[in-house]
Amino acid sequence: MDDLVWQILIAGFAIFVVFKISLITYRRRAFPEPHYKWDEIDTGDLSFPEGFIWGTATAAHQIEGNQSNNWTDFEERAGKERSGEACDHWNLWRDDFNLLSEIGVNSYRFSIEWSRLEPSPGEWNEKAMSTYSDMVDDLLGRGIRPMPTLHHFSHPSWWEEKGGFADERNLVDFLSYSERVFDALSDRVEVWCTINEPTVFSAMGYTLGQFPPGRRSIFLTLRVMKNMMRAHSMVYKRLKERAPECKLGIAKNVTLFDPANRWSPIDWPVSRLLEWLWNGAWRRAITRGSMLGSRIPDAKGSLDFVGLNYYTHFITGLFLPTSTEELSFAKRENEVGTEFGYPMYAEGMRRAIDFVSELEVPIEITENGVADSDDSLRPVHLMRHLWVISEAIKDGRDVISYHHWSLMDNFEWAEGYKMRFGLYHVDFETQERTLRPSGEIYRDVIKSSSKM
Ligand code: IFM
């Protein structure tokens, strides 16, 4: 029998066990899936505390252009759209930083491309490092806080060939790269994200096969999830030893899983299982130092802040997709679909904030945004999410920043260039950037909130 079939049978058994346990608590558990009456809400009624941090976010492989890494290999091997020149940001970064100033943000989340810095094992490209250092100086000169991410889905091909995060022995390479970057920039950079969206990376690369290395194995997925947590913990511990005043966190994609039919004895445990694997196991690692049956003691308390990436909720039932082609995003009757296919569900931002609040560290919203090429949905999407955040803060949640994904249209991984997430439209022929109406709205919100 095909390996995947075995894995699905084992997963089926696991679902059955969770189902049994779930039944016991079934009556006692609530089904929190609020839907607000948006027509009755004035989303312009925002109040953000003094000092609230406003930002945008990008990632190296998605904007810099002309990379040579695990992703470019995969684009070729899997016949995906090529990232190519992307936004040519490696050459145009000064102009792009003008765009940040134009919107008025005071924080910029970006990622460092490991494959540029260490194109082959132990060979360091100092010129590339000094470009990142110049970027940091330029941002600081504009009064913009640099927030680098050390791993945002891409890494050197040589590291992928060694097995990347699938092999625990490789984590030392990630640690030494991280130390190198930290040593070069931590005299000026205070806030760092270690890893972006570990669960997305694991699931897309090792279950659905839509990210490199294109594997389809549940066992490997779980191993990668644990190794990414180990990698984060190692980096956290080492970098804090070097500069205790720096703040380090993970950017965690909190996707919510809601049962298609909340009274179905199947949909409910399935959604609970997915929610546990996606969110719960990760949070437990941070609170308890153990993940999916493995002890990771250094994970416990390894966050100075939690980075929250929030996009949507998935409505789940018995049928679980085994590839992205099979992904069909269900929507509630009252929900609008985004171009990506999943629904706009701003209410979920509050649930995600409440979920990470239990970690008892400040919350930085490290990503939130929508693919919307004609900018017809983004204005509403932006305002609803900001309103939800503003209300959460009023209710005492410690949210200290908001970074919109993304500054400009860019290479959306397996989806290529058709998904446009930018506050700026990018003409990929001419590299011209144009502020969208939603970008103007964001600029105005930032401006008026600084007067509050
Ligand atoms: O573009 C991605 C980003 O790289 C990670 N978070 C989600 C974004 C939109 O899909």
Side-chain angles (χ1 to χ4, degrees):
M1 245 193 291
D2 184 69
D3 273 352
L4 193 62
V5 175
W6 272 113
Q7 292 163 25
I8 288 169
L9 287 177
I10 293 168
F13 178 68
I15 291 169
F16 175 71
V17 171
V18 173
F19 167 57
K20 278 285 199 194
I21 299 167
S22 304
L23 269 186
I24 299 167
T25 47
Y26 191 70
R27 289 184 187 281
R28 274 183 279 146
R29 295 289 296 262
F31 300 100
E33 194 197 321
H35 286 268
Y36 302 162
K37 291 186 177 146
W38 288 107
D39 298 347
E40 296 172 13
I41 293 174
D42 173 8
T43 57
D45 180 16
L46 301 175
S47 88
F48 286 91
E50 206 186 319
F52 189 81
I53 300 164
W54 295 101
T56 64
T58 62
H61 186 74
Q62 296 179 268
I63 62 168
E64 285 181 357
N66 300 313
Q67 307 284 13
S68 173
N69 57 25
N70 62 325
W71 256 94
T72 48
D73 297 342
F74 181 71
E75 289 157 24
E76 189 175 343
R77 200 171 65 237
K80 299 269 179 201
E81 190 173 351
R82 305 293 171 91
S83 50
E85 201 186 38
C87 304
D88 197 21
H89 175 77
W90 194 247
N91 296 310
L92 300 176
W93 62 267
R94 283 180 203 279
D95 299 333
D96 289 339
F97 289 179
N98 286 337
L99 307 180
L100 295 170
S101 300
E102 205 178 310
I103 304 183
V105 295
N106 58 2
S107 179
Y108 176 54
R109 175 170 175 245
F110 61 105
S111 77
I112 308 279
E113 182 58 41
W114 178 5
S115 62
R116 274 191 196 280
L117 297 182
E118 194 182 7
S120 41
E123 182 204 318
W124 296 94
N125 179 344
E126 295 305 335
K127 204 164 160 237
M129 181 60 90
S130 70
T131 301
Y132 284 120
S133 179
D134 291 347
M135 288 185 190
V136 164
D137 287 337
D138 192 284
L139 290 168
L140 291 171
R142 295 167 183 273
I144 297 175
R145 177 188 74 160
M147 186 191 218
T149 301
L150 291 164
H151 188 276
H152 191 126
F153 296 166
S154 57
H155 50 242
S157 305
W158 59 263
W159 200 63
E160 184 84 326
E161 279 153 26
K162 285 172 78 178
F165 283 109
D167 189 336
E168 197 180 336
R169 290 169 303 180
N170 295 339
L171 304 187
V172 288
D173 301 325
F174 179 62
L175 179 63
S176 76
Y177 147 76
S178 301
E179 285 181 293
R180 192 114 186 170
V181 179
F182 195 76
D183 287 348
L185 306 180
S186 62
D187 57 334
R188 288 153 292 150
V189 173
E190 282 175 13
V191 182
W192 298 76
C193 293
T194 54
I195 293 178
N196 181 70
E197 298 181 351
T199 327
V200 174
F201 178 90
S202 314
M204 291 296 280
Y206 293 86
T207 305
L208 296 177
Q210 292 298 311
F211 279 16
R215 301 292 301 270
R216 285 159 61 72
S217 155
I218 291 167
F219 298 121
L220 263 182
T221 307
L222 299 180
R223 194 200 295 168
V224 169
M225 279 169 70
K226 291 194 251 186
N227 282 342
M228 292 187 101
M229 183 49 82
R230 290 188 178 102
H232 159 78
S233 316
M234 280 165 79
V235 170
Y236 178 85
K237 194 170 172 206
R238 183 68 62 82
L239 301 190
K240 287 298 276 186
E241 281 162 10
R242 282 170 128 81
E245 69 285 1
C246 285
K247 303 215 176 310
L248 288 117
I250 272 188
K252 166 69 185 150
N253 175 310
V254 174
T255 296
L256 307 164
F257 294 86
D258 288 317
N261 175 355
R262 61 172 55 184
W263 299 112
S264 154
I266 293 180
D267 299 357
W268 189 72
V270 168
S271 71
R272 281 291 164 272
L273 176 69
L274 291 175
E275 176 109 9
W276 167 250
L277 283 172
W278 195 273
N279 303 319
W282 169 84
R283 189 175 67 183
R284 190 185 162 88
I286 305 287
T287 54
R288 304 269 183 90
S290 69
M291 188 181 206
L292 302 165
S294 300
R295 292 282 307 144
I296 310 180
D298 287 341
K300 190 170 176 183
S302 62
L303 291 180
D304 299 317
F305 68 90
V306 55
L308 170 61
N309 294 3
Y310 174 73
Y311 287 89
T312 193
H313 67 159
F314 286 160
I315 295 163
T316 49
L318 179 61
F319 173 73
L320 292 178
T322 61
S323 70
T324 38
E325 285 81 44
E326 290 173 14
L327 273 180
S328 70
F329 297 104
K331 291 192 294 291
R332 301 293 185 206
E333 229 171 82
N334 56 337
E335 287 180 339
V336 179
T338 67
E339 260 167 37
F340 221 113
Y342 50 69
M344 167 167 72
Y345 177 58
E347 295 87 332
M349 172 64 94
R350 177 57 192 261
R351 291 168 60 191
I353 289 172
D354 290 350
F355 174 80
V356 294
S357 283
E358 295 203 7
L359 294 167
E360 296 181 344
V361 289
I363 302 163
E364 302 240 13
I365 309 286
T366 34
E367 284 183 31
N368 170 242
V370 64
D372 180 31
S373 48
D374 65 4
D375 209 40
S376 55
L377 186 60
R378 193 174 292 101
V380 176
H381 188 279
L382 175 69
M383 292 310 291
R384 282 190 187 179
H385 285 80
L386 291 181
W387 183 82
V388 170
I389 296 166
S390 156
E391 292 296 301
I393 295 172
K394 279 188 207 158
D395 293 343
R397 301 287 179 259
D398 192 11
V399 184
I400 61 169
S401 74
Y402 175 82
H403 296 80
H404 191 82
W405 184 273
S406 180
L407 172 65
M408 56 190 160
D409 295 339
N410 56 49
F411 178 72
E412 179 54 31
W413 309 109
E415 309 298 320
Y417 286 102
K418 68 179 183 292
M419 295 298 163
R420 290 177 174 266
F421 277 87
L423 293 170
Y424 282 86
H425 171 270
V426 175
D427 179 330
F428 291 104
E429 296 291 314
T430 62
Q431 291 299 351
E432 192 186 344
R433 284 74 158 129
T434 312
L435 188 63
R436 291 195 162 105
S438 54
E440 293 176 15
I441 294 172
Y442 189 42
R443 183 191 60 198
D444 295 346
V445 167
I446 297 173
K447 202 183 280 170
S448 55
S449 101
S450 55
K451 286 189 204 129
M452 274 170 200

